[in-house]
Amino acid sequence: MSGKVTKIDEMTLSGTKEGKISISTVEQPYGPKSESVVSIGISLQAGAEEPDWKVHIPKANIDAVIEALQEAKKSL
């Protein structure tokens, strides 16, 4: 990632002792003029410099992703 990262929130990853879920926004993640994204990172251990997994969601997709997650939650 090359853009400015702004931390929004961090929470404990359920089912782990030290894992975290981090939510950030990233401006120009793929270089100049690239669209800003929300970055969701999963770290399995505390103090990790980079998440083990991460997904970038463009602003235009956030509402649809939230709806899909709410539907997935109903089926758990």
Side-chain angles (χ1 to χ4, degrees):
M1 286 186 297
S2 62
K4 177 183 171 190
V5 177
T6 303
K7 183 177 174 182
I8 304 297
D9 200 0
E10 184 176 272
M11 59 209 74
T12 301
L13 179 62
S14 181
T16 68
K17 291 182 181 181
E18 303 176 339
K20 298 283 182 196
I21 299 172
S22 58
I23 311 292
S24 303
T25 57
V26 185
E27 295 176 20
Q28 300 181 355
Y30 312 116
K33 299 183 183 180
S34 64
E35 185 178 348
S36 297
V37 297
V38 170
S39 179
I40 302 172
I42 304 291
S43 301
L44 297 178
Q45 296 186 8
E49 290 186 30
E50 284 290 322
D52 296 297
W53 297 286
K54 129 175 68 166
V55 62
H56 287 172
I57 304 169
K59 183 177 182 177
N61 297 115
I62 292 173
D63 290 335
V65 169
I66 290 170
E67 287 179 30
L69 288 170
Q70 290 172 333
E71 285 301 312
K73 182 179 177 182
K74 290 177 187 177
S75 69
L76 294 176

